[in-house]
C-alpha cells in the first residue's frame, strides 16, 4: 500500500510559516476543562478565568447608526454563558449587580414572551408542526369524506375486482353515499351498493330488446346514458350502449363505448386472476 | 377531456381506495393536487422529490435501471410514487392491490404528460 505524504504543497508553505509557533491542541487543556466541569477548580483556574474574561466588559456597547438595539432585559447571563467554576465566576462577574442580572430585574416577563422557534438548526417549522397532530391518512380520509358529502367527488370505482365497475349510490340514486371509512369506523357496514336489478338495468333483457326491435334502441340508449351519468360504468353496460348507438346509426359514439368497455374489462382482468390464484 | 392536472388527479378520487393525489415536478413544487390540502401537498412535494431522487440514484447505482414506481406501505395506508421523468405523481391510498393502483396511475401519468408536454 502506498503511503501518503501530508507535507504542505509549495503554494501552502507560507501558511505553515505563519503558524509555525502555534500549537493547535494540547492535552493539558482537556485536563483543565474536566476539572472545571467537575467543580474542583485548581489554584490556577481562577487566574485563568480572570485572564480570559478580565478584559471583557459586560456593559453593552453603544449602538451604532442603523443598528437595532436589542431588548437587553430579555437576555440573562445564564443564557449567554455556560456556568463557570465558582472561582472563575466570582472573579469574572465582579461588576454584576446584586440582583443577578447585569441588565435589570424585569427580565422574566420578557423572557416568557419570547417567540423564537423551537427548532433552530434541524428542520423547518413546516416539517415539524404536524408531528403531534393527527396522521396524514386520517386527514385525507376526512377530506375525502367531506368532498363526497359536498358532492365534489363521486366514488364509483374500486380497485378491488369484485367491486370494479359497480356504482355506489344512495337510496335516491342521485348522490353517492360516503364510503370512505377508517378501519375502526363503525359505519363501515353501511355501504349501500345496489345490485344491477335494483337500478332497473337488466342488461341482458336490453340486448334482447335491441335484437328484436329497432325502436327500442333510443329507449335503451337513454336509460343507459342516465345510469352511466350517475357513475354506472360496468363494461357490459357500456357495450350494450354501444350496440344501441349502432342501431341508431351513431357509429363513432358506438366505437367509443366499445373501446371503454374493452378498457374496463382489461382493467379488471389482472385482479380477477389474482383472486383465482 | 381533462383540462388541468387537478382534474386528472381529481378523477383518481373516483376510486374508493384512493384518498389523495399530488403531482410534483423535479424541484418538489406542486403542479396539482386533489383530496389533500395545500400544506400537506407542499410537504409531500418536498419529501416526494427527495424520495424520487434517492430512489432513482439508488437504482442507477445498483445497475437496476430507471426507477419508475416506489410504494411505501404503512399501517395506515399506502404511498405510491410514480416517477414520470420531469414530474411525479404521489398517490395516497388505503392498503390495496399495488398492481391495480399502478395501472390506474399509469393512465393518470400519461394524461398529465400530455398536458405538460403537449404534442407538437
Amino acid at each position: 500500500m502506498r503511503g501518503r505524504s501530508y507535507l504542505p504543497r509549495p503554494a501552502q508553505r507560507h501558511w505553515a510559516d505563519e503558524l509555525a509557533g502555534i500549537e493547535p491542541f494540547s492535552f493539558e487543556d482537556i485536563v483543565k476543562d474536566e476539572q472545571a466541569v467537575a467543580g474542583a477548580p485548581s489554584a490556577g483556574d481562577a487566574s485563568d478565568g480572570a485572564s480570559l474574561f478580565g478584559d471583557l466588559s459586560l456593559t453593552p456597547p453603544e449602538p451604532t447608526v442603523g443598528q437595532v438595539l436589542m431588548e437587553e432585559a430579555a437576555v440573562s447571563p445564564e443564557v449567554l454563558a455556560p456556568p463557570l467554576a465558582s472561582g472563575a465566576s466570582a472573579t469574572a462577574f465582579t461588576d454584576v449587580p446584586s440582583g443577578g442580572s447585569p441588565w435589570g430585574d424585569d427580565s422574566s416577563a420578557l423572557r416568557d414572551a419570547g417567540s423564537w422557534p423551537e427548532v433552530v438548526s434541524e428542520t423547518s417549522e413546516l416539517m415539524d408542526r404536524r408531528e403531534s397532530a393527527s396522521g396524514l391518512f386520517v386527514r385525507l380520509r376526512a377530506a375525502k369524506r367531506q368532498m363526497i358529502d359536498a358532492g365534489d367527488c363521486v366514488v364509483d370505482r374500486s380497485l378491488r375486482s369484485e367491486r370494479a365497475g359497480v356504482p355506489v349510490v344512495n337510496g335516491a340514486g342521485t348522490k353517492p353515499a360516503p364510503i370512505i371509512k377508517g378501519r375502526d369506523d363503525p359505519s363501515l357496514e353501511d355501504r349501500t351498493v345496489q345490485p344491477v336489478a335494483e337500478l332497473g338495468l337488466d342488461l341482458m333483457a336490453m340486448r334482447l330488446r335491441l335484437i328484436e326491435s329497432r325502436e327500442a334502441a333510443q329507449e335503451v340508449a337513454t336509460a343507459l346514458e342516465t345510469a352511466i351519468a350517475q357513475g354506472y360504468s360496468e363494461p357490459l353496460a357500456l357495450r350494450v350502449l354501444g350496440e344501441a348507438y349502432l342501431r341508431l346509426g351513431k357509429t363513432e359514439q358506438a366505437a367509443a363505448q366499445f373501446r371503454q368497455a374493452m378498457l374496463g374489462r382489461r382493467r379488471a382482468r389482472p385482479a380477477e386472476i389474482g383472486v383465482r390464484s | 377531456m381533462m383540462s388541468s392536472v387537478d382534474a386528472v388527479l381529481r378523477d383518481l378520487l373516483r376510486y374508493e381506495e384512493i384518498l389523495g393525489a399530488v403531482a410534483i415536478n423535479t424541484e418538489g413544487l406542486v403542479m396539482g393536487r386533489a383530496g389533500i390540502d395545500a400544506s400537506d401537498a407542499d410537504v409531500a412535494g418536498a419529501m416526494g422529490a427527495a424520495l424520487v431522487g434517492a430512489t432513482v440514484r439508488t437504482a442507477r447505482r445498483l445497475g437496476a435501471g430507471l426507477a419508475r414506481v416506489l410504494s411505501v406501505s404503512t399501517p395506515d395506508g399506502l404511498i405510491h410514487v410514480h416517477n414520470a421523468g420531469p414530474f411525479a405523481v404521489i398517490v395516497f391510498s388505503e392498503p390495496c392491490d399495488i398492481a391495480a393502483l399502478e395501472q390506474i396511475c399509469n393512465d393518470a401519468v400519461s394524461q398529465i404528460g400530455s398536458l405538460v408536454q403537449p404534442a407538437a
Side-chain angles (χ1 to χ4, degrees):
Chain A
M1 185 174 175
R2 196 173 64 180
R4 299 181 62 182
S5 172
Y6 292 98
L7 292 174
R9 288 177 290 184
Q12 297 172 334
R13 281 179 186 160
H14 65 281
W15 292 107
D17 295 339
E18 292 180 6
L19 299 175
I22 300 175
E23 186 178 359
F25 180 80
S26 174
F27 286 102
E28 295 176 359
D29 297 337
I30 296 178
V31 175
K32 289 177 183 175
D33 291 342
E34 287 177 351
Q35 288 175 349
V37 172
S42 61
D45 286 339
S47 60
D48 290 343
S51 61
L52 182 62
F53 298 105
D55 56 345
L56 296 179
S57 174
L58 291 177
T59 56
E62 291 295 327
T64 59
V65 177
Q67 180 180 2
V68 178
L69 183 62
M70 187 176 68
E71 289 292 342
E72 297 167 344
V75 183
S76 63
E78 291 82 7
V79 175
L80 287 176
L84 298 173
S86 57
S89 61
T91 308
F93 295 105
T94 51
D95 294 334
V96 174
S98 60
S101 170
W103 299 294
D105 295 333
D106 55 346
S107 61
S108 60
L110 291 174
R111 188 168 56 238
D112 294 340
S115 60
W116 291 99
E118 293 182 0
V119 179
V120 175
S121 60
E122 294 178 359
T123 57
S124 67
E125 191 264 348
L126 183 66
M127 298 295 180
D128 294 330
R129 67 199 159 93
R130 289 274 175 83
E131 191 173 352
S132 60
S134 61
L136 171 65
F137 284 96
V138 173
R139 294 194 299 274
L140 291 175
R141 289 186 188 105
K144 186 164 185 180
R145 189 178 294 119
Q146 287 180 356
M147 291 175 67
I148 293 173
D149 290 342
D152 297 334
C153 177
V154 176
V155 177
D156 57 353
R157 300 174 187 174
S158 174
L159 295 175
R160 284 168 285 188
S161 62
E162 63 272 17
R163 293 180 182 175
V166 178
V168 180
V169 294
N170 59 9
T174 56
K175 183 181 173 183
I179 63 169
I180 302 304
K181 310 289 194 299
R183 286 175 297 174
D184 52 352
D185 195 333
S187 60
L188 187 61
E189 305 302 326
D190 296 337
R191 180 190 169 108
T192 55
V193 180
Q194 294 188 357
V196 176
E198 291 186 23
L199 291 172
L201 297 177
D202 189 348
L203 298 175
M204 296 311 295
M206 287 182 174
R207 295 187 83 177
L208 289 176
R209 289 178 62 194
L210 286 175
I211 294 171
E212 291 171 358
S213 110
R214 286 182 175 274
E215 287 73 19
Q218 183 61 51
E219 182 186 347
V220 169
T222 304
L224 287 174
E225 284 172 350
T226 305
I228 290 171
Q230 293 174 359
Y232 188 54
S233 59
E234 188 172 356
L236 181 58
L238 299 175
R239 180 173 178 80
V240 175
L241 179 59
E243 292 172 355
Y245 282 151
L246 266 185
R247 293 279 180 181
L248 294 171
K250 301 176 180 177
T251 54
E252 290 184 2
Q253 296 180 29
Q257 297 303 322
F258 289 145
R259 187 165 56 247
Q260 289 294 325
M262 185 178 62
L263 290 174
R265 283 201 192 93
R266 188 178 298 172
R267 237 174 235 159
R269 194 171 298 152
E272 288 175 357
I273 293 172
V275 169
R276 284 174 191 161
S277 62
Chain B
M1 177 69 181
M2 294 296 176
S3 60
S4 69
V5 176
D6 283 350
V8 175
L9 297 178
R10 201 179 309 125
D11 198 46
L12 289 175
L13 298 184
R14 296 179 68 177
Y15 288 88
E16 176 187 353
E17 293 87 355
I18 295 179
L19 303 173
V22 185
I24 60 171
N25 64 5
T26 54
E27 296 175 340
L29 300 177
V30 176
M31 300 165 58
R33 60 185 172 90
I36 182 170
D37 63 17
S39 57
D40 278 333
D42 287 338
V43 177
M47 306 295 278
L51 200 58
V52 171
T55 306
V56 167
R57 284 194 301 274
T58 301
R60 187 171 56 206
R61 177 63 185 85
L62 291 173
L66 178 64
R68 286 193 311 110
V69 174
L70 171 68
S71 289
V72 179
S73 179
T74 74
D76 292 336
L78 191 67
I79 304 172
H80 192 78
V81 185
H82 204 108
N83 176 25
F87 66 93
V89 174
I90 306 173
V91 174
F92 301 92
S93 75
E94 304 281 2
C96 62
D97 182 14
I98 294 178
L101 183 58
E102 183 180 348
Q103 177 62 38
I104 301 303
C105 289
N106 274 331
D107 297 341
V109 163
S110 61
Q111 292 181 47
I112 294 174
S114 63
L115 291 171
V116 174
Q117 295 175 330

